[in-house]
Amino acid sequence: ATQLHGEGRTTTQSKRERLIMSGAVIVQFGLAFVLLTTAGLLLRSFVSALETNPGFEPEHVVSMRLTLPGATYKSPIQITSVFNRLLEQIAALPSVRQSGAISDLPMGSSSNVILTAEGYARHTERADYLFCLGNALRALGVHLLEGRLFAPDDYVGKIHVTVISEGLATVAWPEIGRAA
């Protein structure tokens, strides 16, 4: 009878090597868990952001960024004049319903100010601020709850006019919101 004789491939791992391999597997599973958790949280935040009412209607709005050279346009009156002429030309285009200029798009402003609201209760709040010309707020579909939006004769150097969000009004003057 023929005897089968084979050589098997055997490895001998030391206890230290087995521990290192086990540790590497545990680290890989841990990193995969962290990545999956982070992806889930990002997805949930994205869905939440899509469901949030921004306070304006971004549909059918075209925007562009325009920067005027500071050396040529030094005064607010010069800058306002250029933008007003541009807005007149844009408003004359076919299919344009409203036109306006705004310093930053809503929810993208990098400018903010500390406001102190006096009246019913003194309250300090940090808020973004935007400068508007023409019908910028109407073009964005901002819904007015009370008061008025900006008028064409509200410009730099004239009486200060402010439009605030419902959220800021509720935080700064909560007594008014409860009384209504």
Side-chain angles (χ1 to χ4, degrees):
T2 321
Q3 194 176 20
L4 292 175
H5 182 69
E7 290 184 25
R9 205 168 166 194
T10 61
T11 59
T12 54
Q13 290 182 334
S14 69
K15 187 175 184 179
R16 181 174 181 239
E17 289 173 331
R18 284 192 305 266
L19 282 174
I20 290 173
M21 294 295 284
S22 296
V25 170
I26 290 170
V27 167
Q28 287 177 347
F29 275 109
L31 287 174
F33 178 75
V34 168
L35 287 173
L36 286 173
T37 303
T38 303
L41 290 172
L42 281 172
L43 183 62
R44 190 171 80 181
S45 295
F46 179 69
V47 169
S48 177
L50 288 177
E51 294 173 349
T52 301
N53 179 1
F56 64 96
E57 298 170 9
E59 296 85 17
H60 309 291
V61 173
V62 176
S63 69
M64 68 178 217
R65 182 171 299 275
L66 178 65
T67 305
L68 299 176
T72 306
Y73 301 97
K74 297 178 183 174
S75 75
I77 301 297
Q78 288 176 312
I79 295 168
T80 303
S81 176
V82 168
F83 278 103
N84 282 332
R85 285 194 312 259
L86 182 61
L87 292 176
E88 286 174 12
Q89 292 173 355
I90 291 172
L93 294 172
S95 301
V96 173
R97 293 185 200 154
Q98 301 283 344
S99 66
I102 193 166
S103 58
D104 276 311
L105 290 175
M107 300 177 71
S109 175
S110 58
S111 305
N112 57 46
V113 64
I114 303 287
L115 299 174
T116 302
E118 295 182 12
Y120 292 91
R122 188 173 173 94
H123 180 83
T124 302
E125 184 74 24
R126 180 176 297 274
D128 291 340
Y129 69 90
L130 307 168
F131 295 100
C132 299
L133 282 176
N135 293 318
L137 297 180
R138 283 186 184 86
L140 288 171
V142 171
H143 299 286
L144 185 64
L145 299 177
E146 191 173 323
R148 68 175 179 88
L149 291 176
F150 297 116
D153 61 343
D154 295 326
Y155 56 85
V156 177
K158 199 163 182 218
I159 190 167
H160 297 288
V161 179
T162 303
V163 175
I164 64 171
S165 70
E166 182 180 12
L168 179 58
T170 302
V171 169
W173 297 281
E175 295 84 2
I176 294 175
R178 280 189 240 128

